[in-house]
């Protein structure tokens, strides 16, 4: 196994309660799927519902998938030192904007944010570990397991991913080509490890990790 299991449900529940108390008097920002999230110099975004893709543009003009931010996870310019950093929603998403002053004035919220950042850090470490695998099939399988463990929803066939990543986005995350990803996904479907439901969402049939 190249990555660690996700956080316990008790942590997620307490974090969610704290966020709900925080945004009770605030307005959530709702963005439709495919929307660009404005990155502010002294503010951090917290995902309440939905999913955000974090990416950058290489010197050659290629898009690089840096990671994903799901419910209870933060992102924003203060948390990154990557040039040409971009955030875009993968589905309809609700976001909470927290300024640096908000965090400085609420130790509990700052600690909760730190825990959310730790989850993102573990995801980044897991993605780096996947790049160390020689076989592309192992990288693809490991990446889909990572996504299912972090964000998958139970269904009859296994764990369903409610976000849609293109084959090119998967390829950019795993340092390979779109053609190779397409071939590997086809092989995983043939062996029954991977399914595609009626809405074209991926379903991981065999998921060995404990979901968070």
């Amino acid at each position: 196994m190249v990555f660690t299991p996700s956080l316990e449900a008790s942590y997620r529940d307490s974090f969610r309660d704290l966020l709900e108390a925080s945004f009770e008097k605030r307005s959530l920002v709702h963005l439709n799927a495919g929307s660009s999230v404005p990155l502010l110099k002294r503010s951090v975004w917290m995902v309440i519902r939905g999913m955000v893709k974090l990416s950058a543009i290489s010197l050659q003009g290629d898009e690089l998938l840096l990671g994903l931010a799901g419910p209870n996870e933060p992102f924003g310019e203060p948390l990154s030192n990557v040039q040409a950093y971009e955030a875009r929603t993968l589905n309809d998403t609700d976001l909470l904007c927290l300024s640096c002053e908000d965090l400085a004035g609420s130790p509990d919220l700052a600690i909760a944010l730190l825990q959310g950042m730790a989850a993102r850090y573990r995801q980044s470490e897991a993605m780096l570990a996947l790049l160390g695998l020689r076989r592309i099939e192992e990288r693809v399988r490991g990446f889909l397991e990572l996504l299912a463990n972090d964000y998958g929803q139970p269904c009859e066939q296994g764990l369903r991913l409610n976000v849609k990543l293109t084959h090119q986005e998967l390829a950019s995350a795993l340092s390979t080509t779109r053609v190779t990803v397409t071939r590997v996904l086809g092989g995983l479907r043939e062996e029954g490890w991977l399914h595609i439901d009626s809405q074209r969402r991926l379903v991981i049939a065999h998921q060995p990790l404990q979901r968070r």
Side-chain angles (χ1 to χ4, degrees):
M1 199 65 62
V2 296
F3 53 91
T4 57
S6 300
L7 302 179
E8 296 294 334
S10 58
Y11 154 70
R12 299 197 317 275
D13 293 341
S14 62
F15 193 11
R16 187 179 300 110
D17 291 342
L18 182 60
L19 286 176
E20 288 177 350
S22 175
F23 67 68
E24 183 178 5
K25 297 181 180 180
R26 303 168 187 261
S27 296
L28 293 181
V29 176
H30 177 80
L31 295 176
N32 295 327
S35 299
S36 177
V37 183
L39 299 175
L40 310 175
K41 289 188 177 298
R42 291 188 54 79
S43 294
V44 173
W45 291 101
M46 183 70 69
V47 180
I48 305 303
R49 282 175 291 274
M51 186 75 64
V52 175
K53 178 183 71 172
L54 308 174
S55 60
I57 303 299
S58 71
L59 294 177
Q60 292 73 33
D62 300 322
E63 183 183 47
L64 304 175
L65 179 62
L66 302 178
L68 302 173
N72 302 344
E73 294 178 345
F75 68 93
E77 186 169 298
L79 305 181
S80 176
N81 196 35
V82 176
Q83 298 295 323
Y85 183 67
E86 182 183 55
R88 188 170 296 274
T89 57
L90 287 173
N91 47 24
D92 291 351
T93 300
D94 290 326
L95 300 170
L96 175 67
C97 187
L98 300 171
S99 68
C100 294
E101 290 72 21
D102 291 332
L103 298 173
S106 175
D108 289 340
L109 187 57
I111 292 174
L113 180 67
L114 181 61
Q115 292 173 321
M117 290 171 59
R120 289 279 326 285
Y121 179 79
R122 283 191 290 271
Q123 181 192 96
S124 297
E125 281 193 328
M127 292 179 64
L128 288 174
L130 288 173
L131 292 177
L133 299 177
R134 291 186 178 180
R135 296 183 61 217
I136 300 299
E137 179 182 333
E138 292 178 349
R139 294 186 201 174
V140 174
R141 191 190 298 263
F143 186 61
L144 294 179
E145 281 189 353
L146 174 64
L147 296 183
N149 185 65
D150 282 352
Y151 309 117
Q153 298 297 319
C155 65
E156 291 184 1
Q157 293 177 304
L159 291 176
R160 179 179 61 241
L161 298 178
N162 290 325
V163 296
K164 296 180 180 179
L165 292 172
T166 67
H167 291 189
Q168 182 58 54
E169 288 169 336
L170 291 174
S172 71
L174 300 173
S175 189
T176 185
T177 66
R178 178 186 57 80
V179 173
T180 300
V181 167
T182 300
R183 176 182 57 78
V184 171
L185 291 178
L188 294 176
R189 292 181 63 187
E190 287 180 1
E191 70 178 62
W193 187 88
L194 181 68
H195 300 290
I196 296 181
D197 68 9
S198 59
Q199 298 183 355
R200 305 298 297 172
R201 294 173 299 190
L202 297 180
V203 177
I204 312 302
H206 306 291
Q207 174 51 254
L209 294 182
Q210 178 182 358
R211 295 185 60 256
R212 70 179 183 175

